[in-house]
Amino acid sequence: MTPLRKVINKKDSSIKPIWLMRQAGRYLPEFRKIRKQNPNFVKLCLNTNKVKEITLQPIRRYDLDAAIIFSDILMVPFGLGQTVEFKKNFGPYLGSISLRDIKNYDFKLFRKNLEPVYKSINNVKKDKILINKDLIGFVGGPWTILVYMLNKSSPKKKLEKVFSDKMLIKDMLEYINKYLISHIDGQIKSGVNIIQIFDSWAGLVNEKNLNEYIYKPTKKLVKFSKSLKTPCICFPRNIKNYKEYTKIIKPDVISIDYNINPYEIIKNIKIPVQGGMDPRVLLSSKRNLEKSANYYLNAFKNHPYIFNLGHGVLPQTDPSMVEYLIKLVRKFNERPS
Ligand code: 1CP
């Protein structure tokens, strides 16, 4: 049984496996080199040889317990025929799409558009380096995908007025969800054995809309993943009430952001927990890193816990700090009990 599976299935609190959100890409010089030669990011995500190479780069470099397939949450809008571009120093830039476009889109065409992702998973999965490690597949949360599809760029830049049209949002979420389910299905059938839902913009939703915009659609994704015997990790970034979220959505693992007090989580949540440490700590000193990593490891000493960050590894991170972090976690695992 893989280390993550021991934590998830057996609720084992004696080992603390580690992988990092956004562990492949951005901060790694070997990724930057490939990226420079591949200016079209979506095309790169469809290049099965390159995807395999990038997915395994952090695994070759470090002693991590899981790989996450190199792709992007915006591959689902791409699969639905929406234009998706990544502009330097701006982030994603999407074309227009209407409710009718999504409603009428050919399901088979969606799967065909994303076929290279599934082929890459199949290729990666066969590599011996993944023996006793998990391969994680992912989708964006329905709300987060809707935000990008309607807003057409990061909500950090601006937030379009359409978000006041509740009927439109409800209808869109329903259709987007069908495609997210299909993408989860495609990934599991080609070899991923854990799914993570990145709901990066969950924190934008008011309390009164949480049920319709987050809970209802996300619950369906978790249920679907579980029906294929694949555990589901949920990361609802900046959500105010993790206890309520966990109770309603019932993920196998809850991934916490860095604003959350780990001791509060342990008091309120019984399922395995992942993450928490602020990725900015990796930009500071080794001493700080040691303090912060040990803070989380000690807090979750007797709780099933997967070490990870409270958000993705930042592009300016020095890879040697990541190496040091992994050493610290391994050292903690080897402590005498
Ligand atoms: O320009 C570049 O080199 C591209 C940078 C990049 C990379 C390396 C983007 C653009 N996406 C990715 C890969 C990626 N994205 C992965 C696989 C790598 C790994 O985890 O190891 C994953 C899981 C994602 C997920 C993702 N994409 C999220 C959820 C996690 C999070 O950070 O909140 C989000 C919000 C996106 C959208 C996205 N993709 C890329 C950018 C610049 C953005 C927008 C961020 C924003 O709105 O500010």
Side-chain angles (χ1 to χ4, degrees), residues 108-308:
K108 281 198 190 115
L109 185 57
F110 172 79
R111 283 292 274 251
K112 188 165 163 261
N113 292 342
L114 295 179
E115 196 47 47
V117 177
Y118 311 131
K119 209 174 140 197
S120 304
I121 290 171
N122 210 281
N123 272 344
V124 172
K125 186 71 187 169
K126 284 187 214 138
D127 201 290
K128 286 202 175 57
I129 201 169
L130 289 186
I131 291 175
N132 205 31
K133 295 185 193 298
D134 290 284
L135 179 59
I136 302 172
F138 66 91
V139 290
W143 163 257
T144 290
I145 294 302
L146 174 91
V147 165
Y148 283 108
M149 287 179 86
L150 286 182
N151 202 53
K152 296 183 281 184
S153 67
S154 174
K156 269 188 230 160
K157 317 270 171 191
K158 60 170 171 89
L159 198 61
E160 296 277 357
K161 283 200 207 67
V162 283
F163 290 97
S164 54
D165 187 344
K166 284 194 176 177
M167 275 315 287
L168 174 72
I169 293 182
K170 261 181 74 175
D171 283 349
M172 288 229 11
L173 282 172
E174 201 168 303
Y175 285 100
I176 289 171
N177 232 21
K178 294 199 167 99
Y179 290 97
L180 291 175
I181 284 183
S182 171
H183 194 43
I184 292 176
D185 179 67
Q187 293 181 76
I188 293 176
K189 290 199 171 130
S190 40
V192 304
N193 42 12
I194 295 178
I195 290 287
Q196 174 149 330
I197 300 175
F198 286 93
D199 214 348
S200 306
W201 300 109
L204 294 179
V205 177
N206 295 334
E207 213 180 316
K208 65 177 199 313
N209 291 325
L210 273 177
N211 194 37
E212 287 294 335
Y213 295 0
I214 305 276
Y215 296 160
K216 266 197 194 165
T218 313
K219 206 172 157 175
K220 287 187 189 150
L221 301 187
V222 173
K223 218 171 156 184
F224 179 76
S225 179
K226 284 183 176 181
S227 75
L228 296 183
K229 304 217 165 3
T230 307
C232 193
I233 306 174
C234 285
F235 177 49
R237 188 165 71 94
N238 273 343
I239 202 140
K240 314 287 174 301
N241 195 336
Y242 275 86
K243 185 182 175 185
E244 184 180 88
Y245 180 96
T246 308
K247 201 172 138 212
I248 295 176
I249 302 217
K250 300 190 178 62
D252 295 279
V253 180
I254 183 82
S255 201
I256 55 171
D257 65 72
Y258 48 79
N259 294 317
I260 296 298
N261 178 342
Y263 290 95
E264 278 295 308
I265 283 286
I266 295 167
K267 234 195 290 163
N268 291 315
I269 288 176
K270 298 298 161 218
I271 65 165
V273 175
Q274 169 179 282
M277 195 182 90
D278 192 333
R280 282 170 296 196
V281 174
L282 287 164
L283 308 179
S284 67
S285 63
K286 284 193 170 167
R287 222 179 122 201
N288 254 338
L289 176 57
E290 193 161 349
K291 228 167 89 188
S292 188
N294 282 326
Y295 172 71
Y296 281 93
L297 288 165
N298 282 314
F300 290 105
K301 198 167 51 190
N302 300 315
H303 193 99
Y305 181 66
I306 300 166
F307 199 97
N308 205 319

Side-chain angles (χ1 to χ4, degrees), residues 21-26 31 35 41 68-74 86 91-92 138 148 154 156 198 200-201 311:
M21 290 190 266
R22 315 296 290 267
Q23 67 190 20
R26 306 195 294 187
F31 168 76
R35 180 75 175 103
F41 184 73
I68 178 162
I69 190 72
F70 182 78
S71 187
D72 196 87
I73 60 166
L74 299 180
F86 289 89
F138 66 91
Y148 283 108
S154 174
K156 269 188 230 160
F198 286 93
S200 306
W201 300 109
H311 199 190

